[in-house]
Amino acid sequence: MGSVPSGPARVRGSLQAAFTAVAVVVALALFASACATGGTGARDEGPAHADAVSGADASASFTPTPAASASASKVPDRTEAVRLVKADPAVSAEVKRALKPCVSDDYPVDVTYGDLTGGPVDDIVVNVLSCGDAVSVASYVYREQGGAYHNVFKTEEPPVYAEIDRGYLVVTKQVYAKDDALSNPSSENVLSYQWVSGRFVQRYDTRTDYGTLGGDEESASPDG
């Protein structure tokens, strides 16, 4: 058997073991810190729009309107987005009455976050759907202003669905003739809006006529 170290040699061995243990703890702490600072993915892509049944086009531009709003200290989740819509004086009483949970506390809304207005906080796009057939009945955009979210866009003429596409607000609606089946609309209108000088301005209007071959028409609306 080897001899047991004594005196200074034994002390040096104890200190070396202690330093090794401390180094392991510090390394683990740094690793945990690095894992906790991971980034998030892009949020500009919303879900596919729901089927729709009737309605008219949205207006060409919207200016911000004062609204009761949620705090912008953090991005609202789905439940807070519902509260935001219900507290918004720009939202019609009809939409507020219809905005009820379909099952348990599951509200019929699609919520998308992304940059539409160039603000420091993500804008919020909320589509309110019907419970029975998931038709989108109204769409709203909320922008952070002065620490709170305010309504800067709304359309309540169903069917309508709003989403974010490469910095544009894209509003889609399917148009139905009197005898059209739900699965067979006569045409589809896609309106693209851009945030200009504090409001949304329509830039493009694309209409697809399903009843006519080669019936696509696209035009740029005049700047507002």
Side-chain angles (χ1 to χ4, degrees):
M1 295 178 59
S3 61
V4 178
S6 60
R10 187 172 185 176
V11 171
R12 285 196 298 273
S14 299
L15 289 174
Q16 183 176 7
F19 289 146
T20 301
V22 170
V24 170
V25 171
V26 171
L28 290 174
L30 291 174
F31 177 77
S33 176
C35 291
T37 57
T40 57
R43 289 185 293 180
D44 277 22
E45 182 173 337
H49 66 80
D51 288 338
V53 291
S54 65
D57 291 343
S59 299
S61 63
F62 295 83
T63 54
T65 56
S69 52
S71 170
S73 59
K74 63 185 183 69
V75 176
D77 58 18
R78 284 171 55 87
T79 301
E80 290 172 329
V82 169
R83 295 195 191 104
L84 184 61
V85 172
K86 287 189 171 183
D88 185 355
V91 175
S92 69
E94 182 180 1
V95 170
K96 290 181 180 180
R97 284 193 300 268
L99 188 52
K100 299 178 180 179
C102 296
V103 179
S104 184
D105 59 350
D106 185 17
Y107 281 87
V109 295
D110 282 342
V111 184
T112 306
Y113 309 98
D115 182 14
L116 280 170
T117 66
V121 178
D122 276 351
D123 302 301
I124 307 172
V125 178
V126 183
N127 290 285
V128 179
L129 314 177
S130 63
C131 285
D133 46 19
V135 170
S136 183
V137 299
S139 302
Y140 308 95
V141 178
Y142 293 93
R143 179 178 191 262
E144 187 275 334
Q145 294 174 275
Y149 285 99
H150 295 263
N151 187 322
V152 292
F153 180 98
K154 74 169 184 176
T155 176
E156 297 179 328
E157 299 176 326
V160 63
Y161 195 93
E163 54 194 329
I164 301 171
D165 185 3
R166 291 167 293 183
Y168 282 86
L169 174 64
V170 179
V171 178
T172 303
K173 59 173 59 237
Q174 292 175 327
V175 180
Y176 289 79
K178 180 178 180 181
D179 298 325
D180 285 345
L182 182 62
S183 60
N184 189 31
S186 295
S187 61
E188 180 179 80
N189 291 338
V190 180
L191 309 176
S192 298
Y193 298 88
Q194 187 176 34
W195 185 258
V196 179
S197 301
R199 63 185 181 131
F200 281 108
V201 175
Q202 183 180 317
R203 290 302 195 193
Y204 303 100
D205 180 356
T206 303
R207 177 184 177 90
T208 300
D209 188 348
Y210 296 126
T212 304
L213 293 177
D216 289 7
E217 296 179 1
E218 182 173 339
S219 62
S221 65
D223 292 346

